[in-house]
Amino acid sequence: MQLVLEKRAERSGTIALVSPLIAIGLTILTMVILFAILGKNPLLALHAYFIAPLTDGYSLQEIAVKATPLVMIAIGLSLCYLANAWNIGAEGQFLIGAVAGSWIAVKTQGTDAGAWVLPAMLVLAAAAGALYALIPAICKVKFGASEILTSLMLVYVADLFLDYLVRGPWRDPHGFNFPTTAEFDPVATVPLLIEGGRLHLGSIIALLVVAAAAILLGRTIKGFEIRVVGAAPRAARFGGFNANQLIILTFAVSGALAGLAGIIEVAGPIGHLQPGISPGYGFTAIIVAFLGRLNPFGILIAGLFLALTFIGGEQAQIAMKIPLDVTKVFQGILLFYVLACDSLILYRFKLVFPNRQVTRGAG
Amino acid sequence: MQAHQRMLDPTPKGQNSGESPLLRTIGLTKRYGDLLANDSIDIDIWPREIHALLGENGAGKSTLVKAIYGLIQPSAGQIRWQGQRIVLSGPSEARSRGIGMVFQHFSLFDNLTVAENVALGLDGQESFKDMSARLEQVSRTYGLPLDPKREVWQLSVGERQRIEIVRALMQDPKFLILDEPTAVLTPQEADQLFIVLERLKAEGRAILYISHKLEEVKRLCDTATILRGGRKVETCNPRLDTAASLARMMVGGEVKEVKAVSGRKTTVPRLVVNDLSLAPSEAHGVRLDHISFELKGGEILGIAGVAGNGQDELFAALSGERLAKDPGTVVIEGIAAGHLSITQRRKLGAAFVPEERLGHGTAPRMKLSENALLTGHAASGMVRRGFIDTAATLKTVDRATETFDVRKAKRDPEAASLSGGNLQKFIVGREILRNPAVLVASQPTWGVDAGAAAVIRQALLDLATAGAAVLVTSQDLDELAEIADRIAVMFHGKLSAPLATSEATREKLGLLMGGSSLEPKEVAHAAGA
């Protein structure tokens, strides 16, 4: 008896929906083993990770706050990945957006600038993120440089640039020498949705982005172009679609969304620019994009789930002294299983019996 | 070599003397999922026999020979070699037992020499020098001239096939399988191949010859086994049967005759190519060399030629997948279009059917409605202000399904789930439903079943009758003879002057396909017709 992978005639719709769930199941199983090896009670750990954060209002709000940047970035990345353009540098575009938006906040600090400040910050952040993403895109189109490498390397450039600004020119003079800007003025801050809560306007923007992406991909010719270029490049050229133009476009859009997410994070939950404004949102968003099957609504759900692991990880650290890095291990294993389970959409397992049993009587 | 001959062939004709067959399959069955590719096939191959394996695409010919060559394991049944049951672990075991195979698609490295390619394909321990010497000797013995030191990319398709054949012969096989060997040859090259095969037969070897060209089989083969839908229909002597009766057995019914309307009126030139030259886009590609022709409405121009002589490059230049510097080199409907994109050319009324159905003509994993949008987005009212009109795309699918008898499991399946013939009918239908002024089709019936091929040829004829200019590239001379008004030949990126179909004999076309030129006065005469 032999187990073989067999190609399906047509993509299985059921498996396409179920495969992320299988991946999550396998991830949790692996985590149980890992917790056991660490000497922690697996059931308690799982409770801390996945149940406890859902039981109080504060944590629920915090999940939405964490999901906001993840979803916005992942939507942009999904456009790139659908078009077969591999933007791995969303983290850098996120940081550059945060820096560019903060520039207005820093410059208008303490002046009587009006309500234009926040919209201007959002626009500038999106533009900066887009321009920063265009660097690898143009290198790819003009010189054939691998966008995977260039976009990834630019993350560290952005990270160190931010570091320089908050330790140097933009450092808060009254900040006891901490590497941080001064707290942004109210006009430069993203408004809260619930008084005294954590939920802010950014979450609404993220929902609008999800809806816009769903319309773009499902209803418009541009969305169709993006999907064809990724799925069948030669057919796309035959259809008259320009793959290079779409690399530029999808990188620009995903850079803009990452930049926007960056400034919303800084002008929202954090309130000032400092190093470490991102716990790796740009990288985690890659997992969100694939776990969500590169589908806008899937990404929304996947973003909330990954946000849950961030919050759960913090709770598990506080309650059970499980290292915070376990969250990253969890996310990595999850991506691994998601990609592995995707092969089941086009293939199925089959048991094959050796010849002898079948041939009986044939000769 | 002679010692071998004696050993191989103790009696003049095995069949008559009651000797056992060289190879036989008994109830050979191969199942892929729900599909029975081979359903209990019995076949006997005798020494000193050229045995034809006939059948349409998808009849199970390739599956059967792959099982015999050890590339796949049968699900049931057995293979007997010289009377003994064998289970082949792979092709190298098949080769060591004396079974050789020449594939339709060559596996050669373009940048290596002939000798290096042969060395890579051999299992033995022989030194490179000895091997090269043997290569020259085998190629001389069988009249298959090859220069061992030349690099493969410099060789014609016919010469590349020779490498594969010589490579197989160097293993001294008792049994040689050839998969559609003449598909890539000119008629003259095919004649030379037949001489080689007759000689191999005279040496006592057995040959399994896969083909769907019936005249060829009648001429060459002693026995024919006909497969249809994975089952064996019949084993017969092809010389005693008519081509029509063999075709009936292959197809399982009468093949619909294609009807041409006699005396189609030609109108104004709708596609004109003026002195088109284009450097190849990739290494070892073909340079288009001063190509000119004029195609009027109501006319079908056929372009014959061995694959790889610039047909793909010409298609890309005509469709706009590659642009020419000079706009005037391609004129569509009186408008200089050499610099226009494929979308702009479609808006001028041109339509295109590429050779590759999956991946070029369609996105395999997208639905038919999305594939209708792929070429229809420019000029078919499927897109309004950037938004897709899904109902309009589905309507195109329904109309193509109805008009061209596209058979599929549901209303809007993925392109990859259709059979070759049905997908090709959809692609041709999708383009014809746009009422094009000019249709450029590359190998429109390549690898499709006879029924679908007839539907497609009829559709091309009807389109020309309705006033469109139709350009068809094909390696199938019979197909061009059936539908084209004039036939030109591509060779090394050059296009010959077109001949009227009535004057284009196989011999003349064969000479042009091999790079010879016709007598000057003959060309002038034909061009005037």
Side-chain angles (χ1 to χ4, degrees):
Chain A
M1 205 172 64
Q2 209 180 351
L3 195 62
V4 294
L5 268 184
E6 185 177 271
K7 198 157 192 186
R8 294 173 193 268
E10 188 153 354
R11 159 194 306 269
S12 162
T14 325
I15 299 289
L17 290 175
V18 175
S19 118
L21 299 181
I22 301 174
I24 290 172
L26 289 170
T27 310
I28 289 176
L29 197 67
T30 311
M31 291 306 288
V32 165
I33 297 168
L34 196 65
F35 288 137
I37 292 170
L38 286 173
K40 310 285 176 188
N41 182 333
L43 284 180
L44 287 179
L46 287 181
H47 183 269
Y49 257 91
F50 299 112
I51 311 293
L54 297 174
T55 49
D56 73 288
Y58 176 84
S59 291
L60 282 174
Q61 281 192 51
E62 198 60 32
I63 288 170
V65 168
K66 281 265 191 289
T68 295
L70 287 176
V71 169
M72 284 178 69
I73 300 168
I75 291 279
L77 290 180
S78 71
L79 299 181
C80 287
Y81 299 162
L82 283 170
N84 228 343
W86 299 97
N87 183 3
I88 307 296
E91 180 82 0
Q93 295 138 27
F94 176 95
L95 296 174
I96 285 294
V99 165
S102 300
W103 175 71
I104 298 181
V106 169
K107 292 297 159 193
T108 57
Q109 189 92 45
T111 65
D112 53 359
W116 61 268
V117 171
L118 183 68
M121 285 164 65
L122 298 181
V123 170
L124 189 67
L131 284 174
Y132 203 61
L134 280 177
I135 299 171
I138 288 170
C139 287
K140 165 81 174 173
V141 171
K142 290 279 175 216
F143 311 112
S146 165
E147 76 277 23
I148 298 175
L149 293 178
T150 48
S151 63
L152 179 61
M153 290 191 291
L154 284 168
V155 170
Y156 305 103
V157 176
D159 195 24
L160 292 172
F161 182 56
L162 185 155
D163 219 46
Y164 158 74
L165 288 175
V166 292
R167 287 175 202 281
W170 291 2
R171 190 173 53 194
D172 181 10
H174 312 295
F176 308 104
N177 232 358
F178 279 112
T180 166
T181 64
E183 212 62 16
F184 291 175
D185 289 340
V187 288
T189 303
V190 176
L192 293 173
L193 290 179
I194 304 164
E195 198 62 42
R198 295 275 296 159
L199 208 56
H200 56 79
L201 189 65
S203 303
I204 304 289
I205 297 177
L207 287 177
L208 293 177
V209 167
V210 169
I215 292 170
L216 174 77
L217 288 173
R219 295 264 171 262
T220 70
I221 185 74
K222 200 44 95 181
F224 178 67
E225 285 180 33
I226 290 171
R227 288 189 292 130
V228 185
V229 161
R234 202 150 162 241
R237 200 168 35 169
F238 179 65
F241 307 143
N242 185 330
N244 283 347
Q245 251 175 35
L246 288 169
I247 290 176
I248 300 276
L249 176 81
T250 54
F251 259 84
V253 170
S254 90
L257 287 173
L260 196 57
I263 192 61
I264 287 172
E265 191 66 11
V266 167
I270 298 173
H272 57 261
L273 191 65
Q274 65 175 45
I277 52 171
S278 163
Y281 286 135
F283 295 117
T284 308
I286 298 172
I287 304 172
V288 173
F290 280 108
L291 185 63
R293 305 224 51 80
L294 304 182
N295 170 301
F297 300 111
I299 286 170
L300 181 61
I301 295 166
L304 288 167
F305 179 72
L306 265 293
L308 174 66
T309 68
F310 275 121
I311 308 299
E314 283 170 16
Q315 300 222 352
Q317 186 185 28
I318 295 164
M320 303 179 67
K321 299 198 163 48
I322 292 172
L324 204 52
D325 286 336
V326 171
T327 306
K328 285 186 179 163
V329 173
F330 175 89
Q331 293 175 350
I333 293 172
L334 184 59
L335 180 64
F336 174 79
Y337 280 125
V338 165
L339 297 179
C341 288
D342 273 5
S343 58
L344 292 177
I345 297 167
L346 284 176
Y347 296 86
R348 63 177 160 217
F349 281 114
K350 200 173 177 188
L351 284 176
V352 175
F353 299 92
N355 278 351
R356 256 163 248 111
Q357 287 158 317
V358 191
T359 47
R360 195 173 299 141
Chain B
M1 195 60 71
Q2 273 165 355
H4 238 279
Q5 220 167 303
R6 273 197 300 278
M7 185 196 79
L8 267 177
D9 193 20
T11 54
K13 187 74 185 174
Q15 257 156 309
N16 301 333
S17 67
E19 190 214 15
S20 66
L22 182 62
L23 179 127
R24 77 192 304 189
T25 67
I26 300 164
L28 193 101
T29 300
K30 179 69 192 179
R31 186 187 293 275
Y32 289 110
D34 303 330
L35 178 85
L36 260 179
N38 277 171
D39 186 0
S40 185
I41 290 178
D42 300 332
I43 189 169
D44 292 351
I45 314 266
W46 299 78
R48 195 180 280 276
E49 175 188 52
I50 302 184
H51 193 129
L53 191 56
L54 277 170
E56 293 206 82
N57 282 83
K61 292 172 297 186
S62 302
T63 307
L64 179 62
V65 294
K66 278 185 193 161
I68 295 174
Y69 192 52
L71 276 168
I72 54 174
Q73 292 297 324
S75 318
Q78 48 173 284
I79 300 169
R80 287 179 172 271
W81 175 249
Q82 295 178 315
Q84 287 190 325
R85 182 171 178 188
I86 52 168
V87 176
L88 294 169
S89 59
S92 72
E93 189 186 341
R95 283 195 295 267
S96 71
R97 285 181 183 272
I99 302 173
M101 180 155 177
V102 175
F103 289 90
Q104 193 180 355
H105 300 285
F106 309 146
S107 37
L108 298 171
F109 295 92
D110 279 352
N111 289 321
L112 298 183
T113 66
V114 172
E116 285 164 346
N117 267 290
V118 171
L120 281 170
L122 291 180
D123 304 318
Q125 303 273 318
E126 204 175 9
S127 78
F128 187 74
K129 206 177 138 203
D130 292 350
M131 193 280 308
S132 297
R134 209 156 63 84
L135 165 66
E136 279 201 82
Q137 188 222 322
V138 169
S139 83
R140 226 185 358 258
T141 315
Y142 288 95
L144 293 162
L146 275 177
D147 179 355
K149 293 190 187 64
R150 284 188 77 186
E151 290 187 358
V152 166
W153 65 270
Q154 300 170 304
L155 304 180
S156 74
V157 180
E159 288 171 305
R160 289 176 203 205
Q161 188 180 57
R162 263 180 238 157
I163 305 177
E164 295 271 3
I165 294 174
V166 168
R167 178 152 79 185
L169 289 180
M170 284 177 71
Q171 319 246 6
D172 196 16
K174 298 183 187 75
F175 174 43
L176 186 63
I177 306 167
L178 293 122
D179 191 357
E180 306 218 6
T182 56
V184 293
L185 301 180
T186 68
Q188 283 85 349
E189 285 175 321
D191 288 343
Q192 286 169 8
L193 175 69
F194 294 163
I195 295 171
V196 174
L197 297 184
E198 291 285 356
R199 173 165 180 169
L200 292 172
K201 174 183 150 185
E203 286 177 353
R205 299 172 208 272
I207 292 166
L208 185 61
Y209 186 89
I210 304 174
S211 184
H212 59 257
K213 293 184 182 171
L214 301 170
E215 291 301 336
E216 204 172 274
V217 166
K218 279 174 69 68
R219 194 176 132 197
L220 182 71
C221 301
D222 309 296
T223 318
T225 294
I226 296 146
L227 301 184
R228 188 173 71 230
R231 287 165 181 261
K232 183 170 105 172
V233 181
E234 174 102 74
T235 296
C236 62
N237 181 339
R239 292 186 180 117
L240 301 179
D241 268 294
T242 61
S245 73
L246 292 173
R248 263 197 303 279
M249 285 190 268
M250 264 169 66
V251 179
E254 289 295 330
V255 182
K256 218 170 88 185
E257 288 265 334
V258 176
K259 283 196 296 272
V261 180
S262 55
R264 271 198 309 268
K265 283 190 203 117
T266 56
T267 56
V268 291
R270 306 194 94 160
L271 174 65
V272 180
V273 172
N274 293 315
D275 198 25
L276 171 69
S277 293
L278 207 56
S281 59
E282 51 193 42
H284 311 328
V286 178
R287 172 186 299 275
L288 293 181
D289 195 356
H290 300 286
I291 288 176
S292 298
F293 62 85
E294 188 179 278
L295 187 53
K296 294 194 174 88
E299 194 183 26
I300 300 182
L301 173 65
I303 294 186
V306 173
N309 271 291
Q311 292 96 326
D312 297 347
E313 288 79 0
L314 180 63
F315 182 85
L318 292 178
S319 67
E321 285 172 294
R322 283 199 65 203
L323 302 182
K325 283 204 186 74
D326 178 1
T329 49
V330 179
V331 180
I332 296 169
E333 288 282 75
I335 293 166
H339 62 303
L340 297 181
S341 71
I342 188 166
T343 301
Q344 290 165 310
R345 292 183 201 200
R346 286 197 178 108
K347 285 182 180 161
L348 292 178
F352 310 97
V353 176
E355 180 182 339
E356 285 279 330
R357 285 184 281 278
L358 288 171
H360 193 182
T362 60
R365 289 289 169 191
M366 288 192 152
K367 291 175 178 161
L368 289 188
S369 58
E370 294 176 300
N371 278 302
L373 182 65
L374 185 71
T375 61
H377 64 90
S380 302
M382 292 178 184
V383 179
R384 289 203 199 91
R385 289 202 209 108
F387 283 83
I388 299 163
D389 183 347
T390 315
T393 61
L394 272 171
K395 211 174 127 199
T396 304
V397 175
D398 291 344
R399 281 178 62 207
T401 305
E402 208 176 302
T403 319
F404 296 97
D405 185 30
V406 180
R407 289 176 206 164
K408 48 193 167 60
K410 53 186 186 190
R411 189 182 179 195
D412 194 16
E414 285 178 4
S417 72
L418 267 66
S419 76
N422 282 308
L423 183 59
Q424 189 71 2
K425 284 191 279 186
F426 168 76
I427 293 173
V428 171
R430 167 183 83 181
E431 301 306 324
I432 286 181
L433 288 175
R434 292 174 45 225
N435 294 319
V438 175
L439 180 75
V440 178
S442 181
Q443 308 269 23
T445 62
W446 179 252
V448 309
D449 58 278
V455 170
I456 289 165
R457 286 176 194 148
Q458 188 64 54
L460 296 176
L461 280 168
D462 293 346
L463 183 68
T465 307
V470 179
L471 181 76
V472 178
T473 308
S474 179
Q475 289 182 58
D476 184 348
L477 295 181
D478 298 331
E479 170 170 79
L480 293 179
E482 201 173 352
I483 62 172
D485 301 297
R486 292 184 297 152
I487 301 176
V489 175
M490 276 209 97
F491 178 75
H492 281 193
K494 286 194 171 77
L495 190 69
S496 76
L499 300 164
T501 302
S502 55
E503 319 223 327
T505 60
R506 292 184 81 84
E507 287 65 40
K508 280 189 202 170
L509 292 175
L511 286 173
L512 291 168
M513 284 161 75
S516 320
S517 54
L518 299 178
E519 295 297 309
K521 67 171 195 276
E522 215 169 355
V523 175
H525 175 65

